[in-house]
Amino acid sequence: MSGNLADVLDERRDDERRRAVRALLRNPLLTPRDRDYALVRRHAGYLGQWFPRETGWSLYTDPGVARLRKVPGDLSDGSRAASVRGGGARARLPFSRRRYVLTCLALAALERAESQVTLGWLVDRVMVFAADEQITAAGIVFTMDDRDERGDLVAVAQLLLSLGVLAKIAGDEQAFVNRTGDALYDVDRRVLAVLLATRIGPSLVETDDHDARLSAVTRDMVPDTEDGRNRQVRHTIARRLLDDPVLYYADLTPEQRAYLDMQRGPLLKRLTEATGFLAEVRAEGIALVDPTHEATDFGMPDEGTEGHATLLLAEYLSGRLRDAAGPTTVAEAERHMTELIVEHARHWRKNTRDPGAEQPLTAHALWRLEALGLVRVEGQIVTPLPALARFGYADPTIIGKRDDQ
């Protein structure tokens, strides 16, 4: 009986550890308000060894925050931008360059803030920082005179609220946009202190080249030995398997492909045992599938007009892939979306019939498909990728009201 009990306890411990790994993969920053925070804290010792060993990512935990310092395996992937809900729609709107700059300025202001701040105070401090000549020389000017500019800062506040940097005490952000009120927040300095996940401070990088700066702040410090180079290759592959929807062999360097060919079995075994993922190995690449959906930030299918439109565009593009029709263009995708709007007007939101509505619908669909590793968008060219071929679509049975009713 004692042996059986020990086995049960070991199985329960291993299951909790897999859940904790999945929780951190989905939300690399957790606070006590998050459901999985206590679980991560309970297994912090194990997690603090597993992540550095397998991925090179370090884990920091204390009584107020758990922070996995993730670094992307592919620095050129710009498909997973920060985003917030926008305009009452169900779609999440990716941050623009302007919003990223505002986020950095807001964080700089909060470093010097009291324990509580108002949105109005944050705006005033951001405006002071935004007057820096290097920012204005880059063509970025903030006045906060119009509604859209105030809305940008509200989006930044919403992002900081979702991360736990801010906690709302009173007020409403929309009232600030309308110039009829303000919002009051607590500042969580523990979360603020661990938010930046770079190897070195960006201010220590002297080059002005964007790609070189990004590489510098994320570069792993490894010994220039064969073992060090192998470890870096292994970490890069593990990061892409855990963080990306699909790892295509064509995207690997010759060195990475050679390592994966030799070590694929042991590597996949370690990753799947620790996460509970299922490995799907195909001729074009590998995907680690999460059957629990606990580590998945978003996927397909999705609800509402945007979700239905994305599924239908995916079916159209997968048909091109099956027919070996090759890449298409954003304009062609928009033309197809116009046809879909006409066909499904009865079930989609009324505003999709407005002139030009096909453009944001197509942009959202392509953004989601690219983030899922199903297409590649380069300028105006859209290339369906092999994983899209598995997508099939059947007409749904429509029950109930439209999503705008």
Side-chain angles (χ1 to χ4, degrees), residues 34-283:
D34 295 303
R35 181 188 62 183
D36 296 311
Y37 171 79
L39 182 66
V40 169
R41 285 278 290 167
R42 187 181 311 136
H43 297 282
Y46 165 80
L47 298 168
Q49 294 180 2
W50 188 86
F51 276 109
R53 183 179 66 249
E54 298 298 336
T55 67
W57 295 333
S58 63
L59 176 66
Y60 172 84
T61 60
D62 70 23
V65 67
R67 176 62 160 133
L68 178 65
R69 295 186 175 95
K70 290 172 66 176
V71 176
D74 179 12
L75 296 178
S76 65
D77 180 9
S79 64
R80 286 172 284 186
S83 62
V84 295
R85 298 285 180 185
R90 294 185 180 184
R92 296 186 70 86
L93 304 180
F95 264 34
S96 61
R97 181 190 183 204
R98 176 186 184 83
R99 287 186 175 182
Y100 277 120
V101 174
L102 278 172
T103 301
C104 293
L105 296 178
L107 291 171
L110 291 173
E111 284 283 354
R112 299 163 175 80
E114 301 293 334
S115 59
Q116 289 189 337
V117 298
T118 64
L119 186 54
W121 178 92
L122 191 57
V123 169
D124 291 341
R125 296 305 303 165
V126 165
M127 292 296 293
V128 171
F129 292 151
D132 184 276
E133 61 181 17
Q134 288 185 317
I135 295 178
T136 56
I140 301 175
V141 179
F142 303 106
T143 63
M144 297 299 160
D145 290 335
D146 62 56
R147 183 184 181 90
D148 287 342
E149 290 193 343
R150 295 193 299 276
D152 281 337
L153 197 44
V154 167
V156 171
Q158 291 172 341
L159 176 65
L160 298 181
L161 283 165
S162 68
L163 292 172
V165 176
L166 298 178
K168 187 187 295 186
I169 302 301
D172 180 68
E173 290 84 12
Q174 192 58 43
F176 172 82
V177 174
N178 299 334
R179 293 189 182 276
T180 60
D182 208 336
L184 176 67
Y185 309 104
D186 278 338
V187 180
D188 191 325
R189 297 204 169 278
R190 280 180 168 168
V191 177
L192 184 63
V194 301
L195 198 59
L196 189 63
T198 59
R199 301 300 191 241
I200 63 173
S203 61
L204 300 177
V205 180
E206 296 182 357
T207 179
D208 291 329
D209 180 76
H210 175 268
D211 292 339
R213 288 183 63 85
L214 186 59
S215 177
V217 299
T218 58
R219 184 180 296 117
D220 293 318
M221 303 301 177
V222 296
D224 187 16
T225 63
E226 182 177 358
D227 181 67
R229 289 188 291 271
N230 284 338
R231 184 164 68 249
Q232 187 169 28
V233 169
R234 174 165 57 85
H235 286 169
T236 299
I237 294 173
R239 290 170 183 178
R240 298 194 66 175
L241 286 168
L242 292 172
D243 223 17
D244 298 346
V246 185
L247 173 63
Y248 291 108
Y249 297 138
D251 294 336
L252 298 177
T253 66
E255 184 182 20
Q256 291 167 349
R257 180 62 192 272
Y259 182 91
L260 184 57
D261 286 344
M262 290 178 19
Q263 299 293 328
R264 184 177 65 190
L267 177 62
L268 292 180
K269 185 174 186 292
R270 292 196 304 272
L271 296 183
T272 54
E273 286 181 349
T275 60
F277 294 169
L278 303 176
E280 289 195 4
V281 182
R282 297 289 185 265

